[in-house]
Amino acid sequence: MSFLLKRLSQKNSWNKVFKQRLTEPFHLNIIAVFVFIFGSFRKKVAYDLVIRPQHAFGLLNAADQAKLRGFNDVTVLEFGVANGAGLMNLIAVAEKVTKETGVNIHIYGFDTGEGMPEPLDYRDHPEYYNTGDFPMNKALLEEKIKGKATIIYGSIKEKIDEFKSTISEKAPIGFVAIDVDYYSSTKDVLDLFKAKATTFLPLTYVYMDDIFMPHHNEKCGELLAVSEFNQAQSMRQLSYHRFFENQRIFKNANWVKQLYYFHVLDHPYRSELKRDRKTYVLDNPYLKFEGNKKQFD
């Protein structure tokens, strides 16, 4: 509760409340108050009542999917740790998700540890970001996350191949948060998605942080990196689910438009032609009506 109050004391948080939350239907906000006080963790995730709801949705749904596939563990990644607020939030949410689902969550963060590198060119949006932005207090952060998450320091381009070789198929990747700002850095991150199919869940959730500012576009930044990745890959696709917004109770939050689905089309699950389930049978009320009509003729 104290952490929530601290967040609400920040100007940016109030902007989100007024522009995103209070523009939603009045009755939903009233219901949300009761859910906040009396609701289960799962209900709070549904009503966007967990801090950084993109983390809550991503981790809970990844854990649910992992459990459905018979996994006891799942891996989540954050690219761009900066001073660690996002990573520590992932840790806090993961504890609740594990309690809810029984699925263990392994958390890794990637960062230079020294702030942002030199921008490449206009594609890295130097109008927004520059060398040395977002430094990290390494010693303090490492103390806080000890035993709960692992940070991999250095250039993503230099570290990603080694990391891909260590991913366990028993703890597939289910959620990835990308907050590296630059096109060049995002392009290096997306090399992760070329790893062996079974090191991912068949549907992996990906949060794209840096796509919402006025100068962000598909010829620069994260969106350009995603576009190039999709064009180059025939069996791996990062796509925005057009109906995801409609599936949420609260639809105006920015994060809803920043969540992407990573489709692993060459995953064995996608090629199983026989499913161990009952045959789907569709109802047809017209057939029932015709039958009743004949009885009265």
Side-chain angles (χ1 to χ4, degrees), residues 7 20 25 59 124 160 171 176 206 225 237 250-251 272:
R7 280 296 296 259
Q20 298 178 36
L59 267 63
D124 281 349
I160 199 67
V176 181
V206 180
Q237 288 291 295
F250 291 98
K251 308 178 191 306
E272 292 175 7

Side-chain angles (χ1 to χ4, degrees), residues 21 27-29 31-33 35-36 42-50 248-250:
R21 193 58 179 238
H27 71 283
L28 292 179
N29 280 300
I31 294 171
V33 173
V35 173
F36 179 76
R42 195 174 286 274
K43 275 290 185 183
K44 289 175 181 176
V45 173
Y47 277 78
D48 284 5
L49 293 171
V50 179
R248 299 299 299 166
I249 296 172
F250 291 98

Side-chain angles (χ1 to χ4, degrees), residues 2 6 14 58-59 83 137 164 183 194-195 215 225-226 229 244:
S2 60
K6 185 177 180 180
W14 280 110
L59 267 63
N83 216 18
N137 186 330
K164 285 193 293 185
Y183 154 77
K194 300 174 187 176
H215 288 251
V226 169
F229 176 86
F244 178 63

